[in-house]
């Protein structure tokens, strides 16, 4: 699991440019699924099993990034716009990797930082050349381990992709249900991939696998989620009120299998589940969340035990007949 996580989090793939990460996940899923295809928007969809209820499991492949949109005249400095929810308070000094291989450093004008217009990217190479306007970029940072904690960029939501892949591995093709694992695109810019995936699969039940915040940081916001306390079962967020039957189904599975869990009530943000629920005539949807510190930074942090609990919960749900 650790090796897979490192491979996925260090891969480049901002919204709309998921081709590299999609290739890695395809290689991992080969041999674990009965059928694999890519839909018109770029979602990678893997079917496991047939018959029974149709379940769509969605974990998004994209990571927050940026787009170079203007070059200062006669300089190697680029202005940029966001691809996803950039946090201005974490940008200064960060390194980014453009699709063409150029490495840039984000800087801010003295006294600035209140808007993206205060920032620029230094791509000077000493030879007078610079990457082109219109190039997308993702953040550049290696994964680190600190005891039972994983620290990396793009754990949102590559760790969700890890959970989905490892659950497929645990199932080993044995499920009484018809399971579709969708590794979705463009979640960070409006849940776009989940919409097309759900319209294509037309599931009976939707499950998003994504990260959530934590409430165990010093002087942090109040939230009943902490690292090391198990899988987080979503109850509510601004985009999704989880049906009681779905929430209770997940809780019962944890209790039956001895999986540590906690209940998530998220005050800001949402997941692919909020898009899935609104397709067709409505799809009952829930979310298994991985508690995470420092979201949308290059040092997102998760607990290995929580990740394993999420894998066990997802695999347990899909390995048994679904009665909800």
């Amino acid at each position: 699991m650790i090796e897979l996580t490192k491979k996925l989090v260090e891969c480049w793939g901002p919204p709309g440019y998921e081709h590299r990460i999609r290739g890695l996940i395809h290689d991992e899923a080969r041999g674990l699924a009965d059928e694999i295809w890519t839909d018109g928007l770029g979602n990678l969809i893997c079917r496991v099993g047939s018959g029974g209820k149709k379940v769509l499991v969605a974990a998004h492949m994209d990571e927050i990034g940026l787009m170079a949109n203007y070059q200062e005249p006669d300089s190697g400095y680029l202005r940029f716009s966001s691809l996803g929810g950039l946090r201005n308070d974490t940008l200064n000094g960060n390194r980014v990797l453009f699709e063409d291989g150029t490495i840039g450093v984000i800087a801010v004008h003295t006294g600035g930082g209140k808007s993206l217009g205060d920032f620029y990217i230094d791509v000077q190479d000493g030879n007078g050349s610079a990457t082109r306007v219109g190039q997308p970029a993702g953040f550049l940072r290696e994964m680190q381990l600190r005891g039972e904690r994983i620290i990396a960029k793009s754990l949102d939501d590559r760790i969700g992709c890890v959970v989905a892949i490892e659950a497929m591995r645990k199932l080993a093709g044995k499920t009484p249900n018809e399971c579709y694992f969708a590794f979705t695109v463009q979640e960070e810019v409006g849940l776009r991939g989940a919409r097309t995936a759900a319209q294509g699969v037309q599931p009976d039940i939707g499950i998003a696998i994504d990260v959530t915040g934590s409430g165990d940081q010093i002087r942090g916001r109040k939230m009943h989620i902490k690292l090391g306390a198990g899988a987080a079962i979503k109850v509510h967020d601004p985009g999704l009120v989880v049906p009681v039957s779905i929430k209770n189904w997940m809780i019962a599975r944890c209790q039956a299998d001895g999986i540590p869990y906690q209940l998530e009530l998220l005050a800001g943000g949402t997941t692919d589940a909020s898009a899935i629920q609104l397709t067709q005539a409505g799809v009952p949807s829930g979310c298994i969340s991985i508690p995470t510190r420092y979201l949308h930074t290059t040092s997102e942090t998760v607990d290995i035990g929580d990740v394993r609990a999420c894998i066990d919960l997802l695999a347990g749900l899909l390995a048994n007949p679904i009665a909800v």
Side-chain angles (χ1 to χ4, degrees), residues 21-144:
I21 183 66
R22 181 170 55 242
L24 288 182
I25 293 174
H26 185 278
D27 290 344
E28 292 291 333
R30 186 183 293 119
L32 301 178
D34 299 314
E35 185 180 9
I36 302 176
W37 70 93
T38 301
D39 72 11
L41 199 62
N43 299 305
L44 182 70
I45 302 177
C46 308
R47 178 182 61 81
V48 178
S50 59
K53 288 206 172 183
K54 293 171 73 173
V55 185
L56 176 60
V57 177
H60 69 91
M61 299 184 289
D62 59 318
E63 59 179 322
I64 57 170
L66 52 89
M67 174 71 72
N69 60 14
Y70 178 78
Q71 182 176 353
E72 294 288 351
D74 304 316
S75 77
Y77 297 117
L78 298 171
R79 301 291 182 168
F80 61 94
S81 55
S82 65
L83 291 174
L86 298 181
R87 288 182 50 178
N88 291 3
D89 61 332
T90 68
L91 293 179
N92 189 36
N94 261 311
R95 283 168 284 182
V96 294
L97 176 65
F98 286 90
E99 186 173 23
D100 65 2
T102 300
I103 295 174
V105 177
I106 300 177
V108 64
H109 293 292
T110 302
K114 294 183 179 179
S115 72
L116 283 187
D118 295 327
F119 292 87
Y120 57 90
I121 304 174
D122 180 356
V123 291
Q124 291 180 348
D125 65 0
N127 297 313
S129 61
T131 191
R132 301 186 308 277
V133 167
Q135 280 279 321
F139 289 91
L140 189 61
R141 183 66 69 92
E142 291 183 351
M143 188 187 95
Q144 302 288 336

Side-chain angles (χ1 to χ4, degrees), residues 20 27-28 55 116-117 145 152 158 160 179 227 231 267 279:
R20 297 184 190 177
D27 290 344
E28 292 291 333
V55 185
L116 283 187
L145 289 178
R158 305 290 171 70
C179 305
L227 268 65
T279 57

Side-chain angles (χ1 to χ4, degrees), residues 1 17 53 76 117-118 181 186 207 236 314 321:
M1 184 192 81
Y17 299 89
K53 288 206 172 183
D118 295 327
F181 293 83
Q186 300 190 49
I207 303 174
H236 171 270
L314 180 59

Side-chain angles (χ1 to χ4, degrees), residues 171 174-177 179 314-321:
L171 287 173
K174 298 176 181 178
T175 171
N177 309 295
C179 305
L314 180 59
L317 292 172
L318 301 180
N320 292 279

